[in-house]
Amino acid sequence: MVRLVLLLLIALAPQARAGVMTREALQGHFPAPLSVGEKDAQLPVWPIFRQELTSTVLAGYVFESIDFAPIPGFSGTPINLLVALDTKGQFLDVKVLSHHEPVFLDGLGPAPLFAFAGQYAGLSLRQNIKIGSNSNRGSQAGSANVYIDGVSKATASVRILNQSLLASALRVARAKLGFAAGADPDRVARVRQDTFRPMDWQALVAAGLVQRVRITRGTVEQAFAGSGVEEGVDAGRAQDSFSELYLAYLNDPAVGRNLLSEGGWQHLLGRIEEGDHALLVIATGAYSFVDDRFVRGAVPDRLTLQQGELPLELRDLDLDDPLKLPPALQGADSKVLRVIGPAGLDPARRLDFALRVTRQKGMLFGERVSRSFAVPYQLPADQVIVPESTDKGWQAIWRSRAWELAVLAAALALLAMVLARPRWIVATPARLARFRTAYLVFTLGFIGWWAQGQLSIVNLTATIQALVAGRSLDFLLYDPISVALWAFTAVTLLVWGRGTFCGWLCPFGALQELVAQAAQRLGLRRIRLHRSTDARLKRLKYVVLVLILALAFSSPVWTDRAVEVEPFKTVITLNFVRAWPFVAWAVGLLLLNAFVYKGFCRYLCPLGAGLNLLGRVRLLRWIPRRAECGTPCQTCRHRCDYQAIRPGGAIVYEECFQCLDCVAIHDSPQRCAPLIAQGRQRVIPLAPAA
């Protein structure tokens, strides 16, 4: 029966959505002098035309991101964007057509999401677009790196939007705008960082790390033969040097650290963004790659670079750090040129530099004649790492949150050690209370409010919706803290059951317990429900779980509403800054908890119900018991605030929150009734005096 119900739900579930826009609807977004053409026959894109006097010119293309990069959002449903690109890869417009991001539905509202998407207008695919702040930020079209503002409390959602936008736009640009020859910036080879060893100039040349290309006068004159601008050269001077270029890839530590001082090397690293390429060019001879009019920080007009068929922009980094060059090159023209990461340069492939030589013919109406001379450079194969994976997008997020993950890993390791060997912690009630309170404060403050690591039933519904629609689960990786917590929770479910997460690592659960402690200090009397009433109410959370999972298979809209039974988004993600009904619900649950201990966790939480079911496969019955537990001793049962101990003394592990209180009682000669009785029996009464 259950299998038939699941099959029916899957059959009714929505499939992966496609674009919804029509030409008529798009025309409303692009009024005159723009017009929208017919939809492309091969790709779901529409051309945009601009009327200029009597002619109509192609202005760009418009498309929906869901047709090219349906990356699931935090809810498991893709964000759909309307994207317009001009013919040079610049964003004309970016608008959000639809989304199911929980934090932007009834939390922050959609306005911050719309404003975030609006920042892309005027930026270019050839720029390195980063989310965050930087003292050198700019938004000029010619700037290599631009920084856009993120949205607090919605880090994962805006990064998924960013990835959806760039992935879809690059696919269109490669197909329609001549970007086809470029490599995906996240799939190019990376320069090894472990190859440094001290080398002088000659050793660098011998190792192929610095490469020399010599262009003779004879070669140049032969190229201009028949052009009318030949200068002629004696046979004896044909082998003289016209231009001699030295090329090196400074990102390689074996090159950069040997040609620059340590301070210069660090300065270089500080001037380029991750993924950028710094290339050193040195020229000697009669003809240089820059002329006397060259402006620092500009693009050299005599030197070009392409890789395959892709042209790449070279721009002077304007570095003044001295280079360790041989005496013969001390006065030569030298520049450090940058290629930005999004351009798609692959350091494992040959770099095809070209030196352009231009001569003028005629005086009154002069004609310029140019020839280009190949200057190839190939970084040795042992200096690069070819990527083995095509995964992209989330790796940078993990790197940027490395310190948070390190703190979390240390905290989880500490918790695992305490739970595996609790004897020292439970030695005294005060020690256990101090440790538990301190850890709950850490869970609430760091895991919850700081790192936004609140696990939620939304994680499960999003996974279900993505699987049913045949989409990838990569979107989960955009929230590394949650991934780490889920991994730890999965392991501890097998070992101890649901109590590790629910009792120690749930931020809202931690807040409830801290509120309950405060209520007791204020003298509020806690209500303990009758055992049968408590048992019936605990079944309610399974009903809530089943309803939410059923909706996840059939209705994303109603799923978004149903998951609001969890107050996590209101309390942890948004810090109560939300519409009053959601705040009232969250505050009401906290007030209930002051009288009915952890009422939400025990009776309503759908995530707790899911973990309860999964935790039934645990390997250990880790709470020690004695024959006297339950018969006759009832101390632990009466002290258990979760009511997870049966009258017979058996532990209901599915409802246990692993607070260690019963473990502390069990090991205490002062609190455990059987141990107290044993102690009394050991006391031998003295015989009365004669």
Side-chain angles (χ1 to χ4, degrees), residues 48-52 55-60:
I48 305 173
F49 299 99
R50 177 184 291 108
Q51 188 69 34
E52 294 185 358
S55 63
T56 302
V57 298
L58 179 66

Side-chain angles (χ1 to χ4, degrees), residues 291-482:
D291 59 21
D292 295 335
R293 296 171 298 174
F294 179 76
V295 178
R296 296 174 62 159
V299 176
D301 57 352
R302 293 180 177 180
L303 189 69
T304 61
L305 171 63
Q306 68 180 47
Q307 194 167 59
E309 299 175 1
L310 176 71
L312 299 164
E313 182 185 81
L314 295 165
R315 185 173 292 275
D316 177 34
L317 258 177
D318 191 16
L319 290 181
D320 290 323
D321 300 291
L323 296 165
K324 301 175 186 177
L325 301 177
L329 297 178
Q330 290 292 338
D333 285 334
S334 65
K335 301 291 179 189
V336 178
L337 306 174
R338 174 172 59 185
V339 176
I340 62 172
L345 183 147
D346 189 340
R349 298 171 57 199
R350 190 181 70 187
L351 304 181
D352 294 314
F353 291 90
L355 183 65
R356 191 169 185 83
V357 180
T358 302
R359 293 177 177 175
Q360 187 162 328
K361 178 170 60 176
M363 296 296 293
L364 186 58
F365 299 102
E367 177 185 352
R368 298 170 67 85
V369 180
S370 298
R371 298 290 185 267
S372 293
F373 300 89
V375 185
Y377 177 82
Q378 176 79 55
L379 194 64
D382 61 357
Q383 300 294 309
V384 295
I385 301 173
V386 179
E388 298 178 357
S389 171
T390 58
D391 290 339
K392 57 171 290 184
W394 52 265
Q395 296 91 336
I397 300 174
W398 283 71
R399 287 192 293 269
S400 67
R401 304 193 71 177
W403 76 268
E404 294 173 314
L405 289 167
V407 171
L408 178 63
L412 296 180
L414 173 63
L415 179 61
M417 288 190 294
V418 167
L419 296 180
R421 296 286 185 271
R423 185 176 297 275
W424 183 82
I425 289 295
V426 302
T428 66
R431 183 181 298 168
L432 174 59
R434 285 195 296 268
F435 177 79
R436 182 162 175 79
T437 299
Y439 204 94
L440 292 177
V441 169
F442 168 82
T443 294
L444 176 62
F446 180 80
I447 296 179
W449 284 329
W450 175 269
Q452 295 288 289
Q454 173 72 68
L455 301 190
S456 166
I457 192 63
V458 172
N459 303 134
L460 300 181
T461 58
T463 301
I464 290 171
Q465 291 173 339
L467 290 174
V468 169
R471 296 189 289 263
S472 168
L473 297 180
D474 287 354
F475 70 96
L476 297 172
L477 297 174
Y478 285 83
D479 190 1
I481 299 296
S482 293

Side-chain angles (χ1 to χ4, degrees), residues 87 105 514 528 655:
T87 55
L105 290 174
L514 295 172
R528 188 179 180 93
E655 299 297 337

Side-chain angles (χ1 to χ4, degrees), residues 346-646:
D346 189 340
R349 298 171 57 199
R350 190 181 70 187
L351 304 181
D352 294 314
F353 291 90
L355 183 65
R356 191 169 185 83
V357 180
T358 302
R359 293 177 177 175
Q360 187 162 328
K361 178 170 60 176
M363 296 296 293
L364 186 58
F365 299 102
E367 177 185 352
R368 298 170 67 85
V369 180
S370 298
R371 298 290 185 267
S372 293
F373 300 89
V375 185
Y377 177 82
Q378 176 79 55
L379 194 64
D382 61 357
Q383 300 294 309
V384 295
I385 301 173
V386 179
E388 298 178 357
S389 171
T390 58
D391 290 339
K392 57 171 290 184
W394 52 265
Q395 296 91 336
I397 300 174
W398 283 71
R399 287 192 293 269
S400 67
R401 304 193 71 177
W403 76 268
E404 294 173 314
L405 289 167
V407 171
L408 178 63
L412 296 180
L414 173 63
L415 179 61
M417 288 190 294
V418 167
L419 296 180
R421 296 286 185 271
R423 185 176 297 275
W424 183 82
I425 289 295
V426 302
T428 66
R431 183 181 298 168
L432 174 59
R434 285 195 296 268
F435 177 79
R436 182 162 175 79
T437 299
Y439 204 94
L440 292 177
V441 169
F442 168 82
T443 294
L444 176 62
F446 180 80
I447 296 179
W449 284 329
W450 175 269
Q452 295 288 289
Q454 173 72 68
L455 301 190
S456 166
I457 192 63
V458 172
N459 303 134
L460 300 181
T461 58
T463 301
I464 290 171
Q465 291 173 339
L467 290 174
V468 169
R471 296 189 289 263
S472 168
L473 297 180
D474 287 354
F475 70 96
L476 297 172
L477 297 174
Y478 285 83
D479 190 1
I481 299 296
S482 293
V483 172
L485 283 171
W486 272 116
F488 184 80
T489 300
V491 173
T492 55
L493 279 172
L494 289 173
V495 179
W496 295 302
R498 60 91 63 108
T500 307
F501 173 77
C502 293
W504 293 88
L505 296 172
C506 176
F508 184 74
L511 177 60
Q512 285 190 102
E513 188 158 339
L514 295 172
V515 169
Q517 291 179 14
Q520 280 199 312
R521 291 192 181 95
L522 292 174
L524 298 181
R525 184 177 178 182
R526 188 176 295 171
I527 301 172
R528 188 179 180 93
L529 301 178
H530 189 274
R531 179 164 49 88
S532 59
T533 303
D534 173 73
R536 284 194 295 270
L537 287 176
K538 283 176 177 174
R539 298 172 191 160
L540 182 59
K541 60 180 175 287
Y542 299 106
V543 177
V544 176
L545 174 65
V546 170
L547 289 175
I548 290 176
L549 294 183
L551 290 172
F553 279 99
S554 57
S555 174
V557 174
W558 278 101
T559 302
D560 294 338
R561 297 170 182 171
V563 297
E564 291 294 347
V565 70
E566 290 182 336
F568 304 161
K569 182 167 62 176
T570 301
V571 176
I572 304 302
T573 305
L574 299 174
N575 303 122
F576 295 97
V577 181
R578 207 175 180 197
W580 73 264
F582 300 100
V583 175
W585 171 248
V587 171
L589 290 175
L590 291 174
L591 290 175
L592 172 68
N593 164 75
F595 299 96
V596 179
Y597 187 67
K598 284 196 163 181
F600 174 78
C601 299
R602 294 160 62 193
Y603 305 132
L604 283 177
C605 182
L607 178 64
L611 295 178
N612 186 319
L613 296 174
L614 295 172
R616 293 172 188 266
V617 299
R618 76 188 181 285
L619 301 176
L620 302 178
R621 289 180 175 271
W622 57 273
I623 299 177
R625 299 278 83 191
R626 291 189 176 89
E628 297 88 347
C629 293
T631 307
C633 182
Q634 297 286 314
T635 303
C636 289
R637 185 172 78 87
H638 290 310
R639 296 290 181 86
C640 181
D641 292 321
Y642 302 97
Q643 296 181 250
I645 303 178
R646 293 194 175 99

